[in-house]
């Protein structure tokens, strides 16, 4: 809301504050968005750290951001490999027969 000014004044400080609170609470999208904030501010080392943390929680967009930053020479091969392993572990940890059944059901409903 504060970021876009929906119903309130635009306020970057409040936006960042709420993103930080959500990220501390374990919200991967907030962590990813903090990475973008730091990227815009030119603090690439901090941006990379946020993307790594979000990727480690299984957030796909952060993994893609890290791949792009690796291609740009801003992420080491070791950091990318570590993030890939952690991302896969997080994704595997969320798999279950019930989730797979629900996913198949949702795919069948889209047809």
């Amino acid at each position: 809301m504060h970021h876009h000014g929906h119903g309130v004044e635009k306020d970057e400080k409040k936006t960042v504050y709420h993103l930080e609170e959500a990220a501390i609470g374990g919200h991967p999208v907030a962590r990813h968005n903090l990475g973008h904030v730091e990227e815009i501010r030119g603090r690439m080392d901090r941006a990379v750290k946020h993307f790594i943390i979000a990727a480690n929680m299984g957030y796909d967009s952060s993994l893609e951001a890290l791949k792009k930053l690796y291609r740009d020479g801003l992420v080491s091969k070791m950091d990318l490999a570590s993030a890939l392993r952690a991302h896969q572990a997080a994704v595997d940890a969320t798999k279950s027969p019930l989730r797979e059944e629900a996913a198949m059901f949702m795919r069948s409903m889209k047809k």
Side-chain angles (χ1 to χ4, degrees):
M1 286 178 12
H2 294 288
H3 177 69
H4 296 288
H6 296 294
V8 296
E9 253 183 73
K10 279 188 175 185
D11 188 335
E12 186 178 345
K13 284 185 180 182
K14 283 187 181 180
T15 298
V16 172
Y17 169 79
H18 290 293
L19 285 173
E20 287 171 345
E21 290 295 310
I24 289 167
H27 197 279
V29 177
R31 182 67 69 174
H32 176 82
N33 289 342
L34 280 173
H36 279 299
V37 168
E38 294 298 353
E39 191 174 21
I40 290 165
R41 292 176 173 174
R43 296 191 272 196
M44 295 310 295
D45 56 328
R46 292 176 62 98
V48 167
K49 288 177 185 177
H50 286 299
F51 291 140
I52 287 173
I53 293 167
N56 290 350
M57 290 190 264
Y59 193 60
D60 295 336
S61 295
S62 287
L63 187 61
E64 293 306 314
L66 288 169
K67 288 177 184 177
K68 180 191 176 300
L69 293 172
Y70 171 75
R71 287 190 299 272
D72 293 344
L74 298 169
V75 173
S76 72
K77 188 174 186 176
M78 187 174 75
D79 284 342
L80 180 61
S82 177
L84 282 165
R85 285 190 299 275
H87 177 271
Q88 189 60 53
V91 169
D92 290 345
T94 63
K95 290 184 180 177
S96 73
L98 191 55
R99 282 181 187 251
E100 295 298 322
E101 184 180 329
M104 287 190 324
F105 174 76
M106 292 305 290
R107 283 192 294 271
S108 73
M109 295 301 290
K110 290 181 181 180
K111 291 181 181 179

